[in-house]
Amino acid sequence: MKKKYFKATAPILVLALGYGVVQLMSAAKPAPEKKAENPRPISLVYNEAREEAVRLTVATQGEVRPHTEIDLTPQVSGRIIAISENFAEGAGFTPGETLVQLDDADYRLALARAEAGVAAAEVVLLQARATAAIKRQQWETANPGREPTPLQVNQPQVAEAEAQLRSAKAELADAQLNLARTQIKLPFRGRVIRRDIGVGQYVTAGTVLGRVFATDRVEVRLPLTDAQLQELDLPMGFVATERNPGPPVTLSAQVGRDAHQWQGRIVRTQAAVDQQTRLIYAVAEVADPYGAGASNGVPLAVGLFVSAEAQGVRERPALVLPREALRSADKVYVVDESNRLNIRTVEVLSTSKDRVVIASGLTDGERVVTSAIANAVDGMEVQPIAQLARK
C-alpha cells in the first residue's frame, strides 16, 4: 500500500518542489532599474505685445433703406390708356418721365370751356370799362369841378367784371393743371418696387398705382453704443452740415461670390436712446448707389444687409496683437520669464480679421502665444518659439 501511495504522490511532490525553486530564484533576482523621465515641454509660437497709437474702428451693421419711398397715386380720375415700360417691378425711371397716361378727353373739353370763359370775361370787362369811361366824361361835362360817386361812373361794375375775369383765369389754370395731371410723373430718378394697375383700368384720385423709391441716395440705420458714439465724436441729435459733413463710413457685403464695399457718411444721429435696445441709432447715406456710388457695377441695393466700419477720430495708446492671440472673448496666453504659461484676462477695445487691440491686462513686450494649443493649463511649462516676421 505504501508503495502505491508513494507512486501516486511522487509527481505532485516533484511539481511542488520545482515551483518552489522557481519562486526562490525569482525573488533572488534584482529588480530592473527604473529611469525617471520628465515630461517634455510643449513648443508654442509667441508674439511680443507692442504698444502703438491707434484709432479704433467702430464696427456695426444695418439694412439698406431708400431715402424716399412712396405710393404712386393720381390726382385726377380717369381710365388708364398707356403704361410706360419703365413702370414695372425692378425697372428704373428718370425725372419727369410719364409712367402712366390717363384718358384726357374730358379734361381737354374742360380746358376748352375754361378758355371760352376767359374770353367771355375779357369782353365783359372791356364793355364795363368803356361804359365807365363814357359815364365819367358825361359827369365831368354836366358837373365840372365835382367828383362823382363810384356808382355814378360804373366802378362797381368794372370791379365785378375784373373779378369774373380772374375767376375765369383760375378755372383755366385748374383745367390746364388737371389735363397735365393725366400724365403721371415723378420729380426724381427712381426704381419701381411694385405695380398694382393695368391698361384699361379706371382709377380715381388717390388710388394706389404702385410703389416706388428714389435712387439719388439710400440710408443705412446703424446701432451704436455710447462708447462707439464717443469714438466717432458724435453728439446725440447730430445733423451733418457743410462745415461738418459727418464721419466717413465703409459699408461691405457679400454679393454672390464676391465681397463689395461702398463709401458713405454718417449724416445724423437720433436725439433719444432706443428704449428696447438701449442703443443710439445713426444714419449713414450713400449717394447715387445705383450709379456712381456702385461697387464695380454692383449697386448698394435696397434691402441688402451690410456691415459698417468707421474710423474713430481720436488716437490712443494701446497694445496690438495678431488676431489669433485672442482666446474666447477676453483671454490670452502669456509666457512668463520662467517659460510657464499664464492665462490672462484682458480688456479688448476692438478686433478685426487681422489684429486685436487691447486696453489693459498686458504690458508692452510680454510674450503672447499665437499658435494653437489644446488643454492649456495655467502654470504649465512650455517651450517658447518667436514668431517669424511676416514679409
Side-chain angles (χ1 to χ4, degrees):
M1 283 295 289
K2 290 183 178 179
K3 290 181 179 181
K4 291 182 179 180
Y5 178 77
F6 180 76
K7 290 181 179 180
T9 58
I12 297 174
L13 292 173
V14 172
L15 289 173
L17 182 62
Y19 178 77
V21 172
V22 171
Q23 291 296 320
L24 288 173
M25 292 177 64
S26 299
K29 185 179 180 181
E33 183 179 355
K34 294 183 180 180
K35 296 182 179 180
E37 294 185 0
N38 295 324
R40 184 178 180 181
I42 299 175
S43 298
L44 298 177
V45 178
Y46 71 87
N47 274 67
E48 289 188 0
R50 65 183 189 279
E51 187 174 86
E52 296 181 6
V54 298
R55 284 187 180 181
L56 297 184
T57 298
V58 173
T60 181
Q61 54 193 2
E63 183 182 357
V64 180
R65 301 188 303 181
H67 179 266
T68 301
E69 182 178 347
I70 62 168
D71 288 329
L72 183 64
T73 58
Q75 293 178 276
V76 295
S77 302
R79 191 172 302 280
I80 298 173
I81 60 173
I83 298 176
S84 171
E85 293 182 355
N86 291 333
F87 189 51
E89 292 184 6
F93 55 87
T94 56
E97 178 182 355
T98 300
L99 300 178
V100 179
Q101 175 68 59
L102 302 181
D103 185 4
D104 61 0
D106 293 339
Y107 298 98
R108 290 187 180 278
L109 292 175
L111 177 61
R113 287 193 294 268
E115 289 173 344
V118 170
E122 288 176 343
V123 171
V124 171
L125 178 59
L126 289 174
Q127 290 175 345
R129 286 175 176 173
T131 302
I134 293 172
K135 286 196 172 185
R136 175 171 286 279
Q137 185 178 10
Q138 290 175 349
W139 174 266
E140 290 176 352
T141 301
N143 304 282
R146 294 178 60 188
E147 187 65 26
T149 64
L151 190 59
Q152 289 171 333
V153 291
N154 272 25
Q155 287 185 2
Q157 288 81 352
V158 173
E160 181 182 10
E162 290 175 344
Q164 289 177 353
L165 178 59
R166 287 194 297 270
S167 177
K169 287 183 177 180
E171 291 179 1
L172 175 61
D174 186 58
Q176 291 172 336
L177 192 58
N178 287 336
L179 178 61
R181 285 171 175 169
T182 59
Q183 297 180 348
I184 301 173
K185 308 175 183 180
L186 287 170
F188 54 78
R189 183 175 68 255
R191 296 256 174 171
V192 180
I193 298 176
R194 71 172 193 273
R195 191 183 82 184
D196 300 334
I197 45 86
V199 175
Q201 182 177 346
Y202 184 87
V203 295
T204 58
T207 300
V208 176
L209 308 180
R211 192 162 182 83
V212 300
F213 65 90
T215 57
D216 58 334
R217 50 184 170 163
V218 291
E219 296 181 345
V220 184
R221 192 164 175 256
L222 303 173
L224 299 174
T225 63
D226 291 340
Q228 290 175 324
L229 208 63
Q230 292 178 2
E231 286 296 333
L232 297 175
D233 195 23
L234 288 174
M236 295 180 63
F238 165 78
V239 178
T241 61
E242 291 185 1
R243 296 184 61 183
N244 185 8
V249 59
T250 300
L251 307 173
S252 58
Q254 190 81 16
V255 181
R257 295 182 178 180
D258 301 323
H260 293 274
Q261 290 185 340
W262 301 267
Q263 303 302 318
R265 283 190 177 275
I266 294 177
V267 296
R268 63 182 182 274
T269 61
Q270 285 185 337
V273 178
D274 188 276
Q275 294 184 354
Q276 295 182 345
T277 62
R278 311 310 301 172
L279 297 174
I280 302 164
Y281 285 88
V283 176
E285 280 190 358
V286 176
D288 197 12
Y290 288 81
S295 171
N296 297 324
V298 177
L300 182 59
V302 169
L304 190 66
F305 197 78
V306 295
S307 299
E309 288 188 354
Q311 290 291 331
V313 297
R314 295 177 298 174
E315 286 190 346
R316 64 169 67 188
L319 294 170
V320 180
L321 292 169
R323 179 62 180 83
E324 53 267 23
L326 186 65
R327 319 285 169 156
S328 304
D330 59 352
K331 297 288 190 301
V332 295
Y333 297 159
V334 179
V335 179
D336 63 14
E337 296 83 355
S338 303
N339 291 340
R340 295 192 175 275
L341 191 70
N342 291 335
I343 300 177
R344 196 85 58 83
T345 300
V346 294
E347 180 186 354
V348 178
L349 287 176
S350 73
T351 59
S352 66
K353 64 178 182 180
D354 297 322
R355 70 174 190 174
V356 55
V357 180
I358 295 174
S360 62
L362 284 175
T363 58
D364 189 31
E366 282 194 296
R367 298 180 294 178
V368 181
V369 177
T370 56
S371 60
I373 176 174
N375 303 321
V377 177
D378 194 33
M380 65 186 294
E381 187 177 0
V382 296
Q383 179 64 44
I385 302 173
Q387 173 78 49
L388 295 177
R390 297 180 180 180
K391 295 182 179 180

